[in-house]
Amino acid sequence: MSGLVPLPAQPAGVPWPTEDWPRGEPPPGVDLDAQLDEVFDDEGPCATTFAVVVVHRGRVVAERYHGALEHFDRAPTPVTAGTPLLSWSMAKSMLHAVVGLLVGEGRLDLDAPAQVPEWSDPADPRHAITLRHLLAMRDGLDFVEDYVDDRVSDVIQMLFGEGQPDMAHFAADRPLAAAPGTRFNYSSGTSNIISGIVARTVGPGEDYARFLHGRLFGPLGMAGADPEFDEAGTWVASSYVRATARDYARFGLLYQRDGTWDGVRLLPAGWVDYGRTMVSVDDPEDPSPHGAHWWGVRGDTLENLDPLGTFRASGYEGQTITICPALDLVVVRLGKTPLEREDALVPWRAAVVQAFADAR
């Protein structure tokens, strides 16, 4: 795709982290201690951070863990490199990879009417919604993504209420609020509709889990990745994967390397570029540009995005996989930042990236 910063290849002589991450040192002049101290300060604006992993040119150059996971029935579990941590909406970007696998095989078509039973009647105006609309969050469905007020929130009802047994059906049953393709509306329901399409394509439940592990998690060495399914056998791809910080870094490296891994192309050529091409940038409710289930760094226009080509997977409470092609940099941050403080992570991420940019 024109205008995108090229994705870097794995440097010669750097092992792929399928088994273990190769270690390295930050470039001369890059000192991340201040940034790490800031984000791991429980009393600071970012609140609790569990894990940060920084990968530069294919090697882990900084890594830190902190805090503990609370449980209702046992003592807190200290967070370590082996602790599975919840993705929240970073799972949406993993779903983009899964769809790419099926599009590459010719089993899904981005521009045909999406195969959704609730819209199968050609007379239904939702029948015009395509998989491309869904991945761009431009399907036009009336879905309210509110994490506070359960009186108006569709996402709370879907994840924790009446929609929980079959989340894809709950979301697909929503009416249109706008013509498909005409407005951006960030929606976890949309992601679960896509996941429902995948479930009907590869088989629900155990078949879907085998596909995820056999085609995505396994080849990357994400051995501990644990996707959660609803009662209908659909992966809750809006919100639920548990994996280690190093495993999230592996997924980030897959996209940094243009969908290839250790000499094998896993994702179709051009699929990563499709995800990181921003198509929605001017939404007043969410200032971050959005591509196809991936986020960018805001500029003034679609043509004036971050010159380093940075894009990211992002989730509730500040979960992020930041990928910076120009610097061959992947930064994973996992924790519990309150919703009203998540803006504090924006300058923190920018400062980490800038430290490497200054040292170029």
Side-chain angles (χ1 to χ4, degrees):
M1 304 253 178
S2 62
L4 293 175
V5 174
L7 294 163
Q10 185 81 342
V14 177
W16 290 79
T18 312
E19 297 293 335
D20 296 303
W21 272 101
R23 309 291 301 195
E25 295 295 328
V30 175
D31 184 353
L32 298 179
D33 287 345
Q35 284 89 356
L36 292 175
D37 289 345
E38 175 188 349
V39 79
F40 280 99
D41 179 5
D42 289 344
E43 303 303 319
C46 299
T48 300
T49 291
F50 294 136
V52 168
V53 176
V54 180
V55 178
H56 182 240
R57 293 179 53 79
R59 298 182 182 273
V60 171
V61 299
E63 185 175 23
R64 189 183 294 186
Y65 299 92
H66 170 74
L69 299 183
E70 301 288 339
H71 306 287
F72 292 113
D73 56 349
R74 60 189 189 278
T77 305
V79 174
T80 68
T83 302
L85 297 169
L86 184 58
S87 66
W88 288 116
S89 289
M90 293 194 304
K92 293 178 170 73
S93 298
M94 296 181 178
L95 178 64
H96 176 264
V98 172
V99 173
L101 294 170
L102 295 171
V103 169
E105 293 177 349
R107 300 170 72 181
L108 290 177
D109 184 338
L110 283 176
D111 295 306
Q115 297 301 301
V116 177
E118 291 82 359
W119 316 331
S120 59
D121 184 351
D124 189 321
R126 299 172 298 180
H127 187 74
I129 298 172
T130 66
L131 192 52
R132 191 181 298 275
H133 291 143
L134 292 164
L135 284 167
M137 299 284 184
R138 301 184 72 89
D139 48 77
L141 292 171
D142 183 8
F143 192 95
V144 178
E145 188 88 2
D146 186 297
Y147 302 104
V148 177
D149 190 347
D150 61 1
R151 296 169 298 176
V152 301
S153 173
D154 292 311
V155 69
I156 292 175
Q157 289 301 319
M158 179 182 70
L159 293 176
F160 309 111
E162 61 179 298
Q164 192 172 16
D166 189 344
M167 300 190 200
H169 169 70
F170 175 84
D173 214 29
R174 302 296 301 162
L176 280 181
T182 61
R183 72 156 196 179
F184 172 77
N185 180 49
Y186 179 74
S187 162
S188 290
T190 292
S191 299
N192 288 330
I193 292 168
I194 297 171
S195 192
I197 294 170
V198 173
R200 289 186 290 275
T201 303
V202 304
E206 291 184 3
D207 288 337
Y208 198 163
R210 276 194 292 269
F211 186 85
L212 288 171
H213 287 285
R215 297 292 304 279
L216 181 63
F217 299 146
L220 302 186
M222 297 174 62
D226 184 16
E228 184 173 321
F229 293 78
D230 65 13
E231 292 177 20
T234 300
W235 172 34
V236 187
S238 66
S239 313
Y240 294 151
V241 171
R242 287 174 174 81
T244 68
R246 292 175 180 175
D247 279 347
Y248 289 123
R250 287 182 170 94
F251 180 71
L253 188 67
L254 172 69
Y255 271 70
Q256 184 80 282
R257 299 294 180 250
D258 195 24
T260 65
W261 194 266
D262 201 5
V264 177
R265 174 159 288 286
L266 299 182
L267 302 180
W271 190 254
V272 172
D273 283 354
Y274 165 53
R276 68 187 181 118
T277 298
M278 300 299 127
V279 295
S280 301
V281 74
D282 57 357
D283 182 74
E285 297 299 319
D286 199 315
S288 295
H290 188 268
H293 270 47
W294 283 90
W295 296 97
V297 174
R298 186 174 177 82
D300 295 331
T301 68
L302 284 174
E303 291 74 34
N304 184 27
L305 297 170
D306 170 46
L308 300 174
T310 308
F311 61 111
R312 61 189 168 87
S314 185
Y316 182 61
E317 295 183 326
Q319 323 312 317
T320 49
I321 305 169
T322 301
I323 301 167
C324 184
L327 303 175
D328 199 351
L329 183 68
V330 176
V331 182
V332 173
R333 184 271 178 183
L334 305 166
K336 288 180 71 69
T337 299
L339 188 63
E340 65 274 13
R341 293 201 205 170
E342 283 191 11
D343 284 350
L345 285 165
V346 175
W348 179 81
R349 290 193 300 264
V352 173
V353 170
Q354 191 61 46
F356 285 84
D358 290 343
R360 274 200 300 181

